[in-house]
Amino acid sequence: MRVVSLVPSLTEAVALTLPEALVGATDWCSHPAGLDVARVGGSKYPDLDRVRALRPDLVLLNEEENRLADAEALRAAGVPVRVTYPRTVAGALTELAELLTELGAPTEPPWLRAARRAWEAPPRLAPPRRVVVPVWRRPWVVLGSDTFAGDVLRRLGVVNAYDQQPERYPRPSLADLRERKPELVVLPDEPYRFTADDGPEAFPGVPCALLSGRHLTWYGPSLAEAPALLAGQLSRAV
């Protein structure tokens, strides 16, 4: 198999499991460290000519990270694609296992077995905390319902104040965010890079937890260490 991945978390999963299969990845594919494959541009705007030039047997995409137009263009050019769309931890583990089997992995890799064990009984905040989870600002965008990251946080003992919204990524005003009266504001460092100096000042008097966006949103090898790492970050509010 010759695989091009346009999804950073899947790039890491394939590179650690079947490194000989991975021939291309995006400029944003940062893991594993030292990854040495052809680069094909960004996730949103990949260079499809470069992708096709690598003669892939399969291109990996994600419903949220990549554009439908690119998937359709690749299909029209006769390039097989696989589009992932996990919205729960369990769904992500299942999709990963199925994908790696399809690519030729003889057994489940150690990191995937470790991830299953890690999520069997993850650490939880006690008592549960009511939170808002901005993932962007200017404009503000938050986690709503039916998202993978939302399920990650739910399993760690947080209650998303926007979990009952019909939108998966609502765009509330800052006033609305504050009116939800969160006990904790969760600020990941991707896709928007929130920091101690960029984000908490918008929520005076409310504790803010700075989280690893990779461990919150990536579905791949990082799932094995995500429960312990995120639980620690949630408990160290600033």
Side-chain angles (χ1 to χ4, degrees):
M1 292 288 286
R2 293 176 60 83
V3 177
V4 172
S5 173
L6 304 183
V7 186
S9 54
L10 295 182
T11 297
E12 184 179 17
V14 176
L16 290 181
T17 308
L18 296 162
E20 69 284 352
L22 188 69
V23 296
T26 75
D27 298 343
W28 296 102
C29 292
S30 56
H31 290 72
L35 180 66
D36 184 17
V37 296
R39 301 293 177 157
V40 297
S43 297
K44 292 296 184 189
Y45 297 98
D47 185 327
L48 298 186
D49 288 336
R50 283 194 227 167
V51 173
R52 289 190 291 266
L54 292 171
R55 298 177 290 105
D57 298 303
L58 188 65
V59 176
L60 306 180
L61 301 98
N62 173 264
E63 183 86 13
E64 291 183 341
E65 293 189 49
N66 307 111
R67 300 186 308 156
L68 175 60
D70 291 328
E72 291 177 340
L74 288 168
R75 289 189 180 109
V79 179
V81 304
R82 180 171 181 137
V83 180
T84 59
Y85 192 26
R87 281 160 284 182
T88 64
V89 171
L93 294 172
T94 296
E95 285 198 41
L96 286 164
E98 292 174 349
L99 171 63
L100 295 174
T101 297
E102 179 181 328
L103 295 182
T107 60
E108 219 168 68
W111 63 261
L112 185 51
R113 294 196 296 271
R116 291 189 190 282
R117 291 192 299 270
W119 285 101
E120 286 175 354
R124 296 175 59 87
L125 288 178
R129 307 286 292 278
R130 177 178 170 83
V131 308
V132 295
V133 191
V135 294
W136 201 261
R137 68 183 304 180
R138 306 182 190 94
W140 290 97
V141 180
V142 300
L143 287 185
S145 58
D146 196 30
T147 67
F148 171 75
D151 187 57
V152 167
L153 291 172
R154 180 184 61 78
R155 290 167 176 263
L156 297 177
V158 305
V159 179
N160 183 359
Y162 287 90
D163 190 48
Q164 300 305 311
Q165 295 293 306
E167 300 93 351
R168 300 182 70 239
Y169 295 98
R171 297 189 174 199
S173 65
L174 180 57
D176 187 77
L177 280 167
R178 292 169 173 170
E179 287 170 5
R180 298 282 170 151
K181 300 190 182 304
E183 300 170 286
L184 181 69
V185 178
V186 174
L187 299 172
D189 61 11
E190 64 175 72
Y192 185 90
R193 189 172 180 80
F194 288 104
T195 68
D197 300 317
D198 185 355
E201 80 289 344
F203 304 94
V206 183
C208 295
L210 301 172
L211 263 61
S212 164
R214 173 171 172 257
H215 292 87
L216 178 62
T217 63
W218 287 32
Y219 52 100
S222 59
L223 281 171
E225 58 189 20
L229 187 145
L230 293 175
Q233 292 175 333
L234 286 167
S235 66
R236 293 193 300 272
V238 298

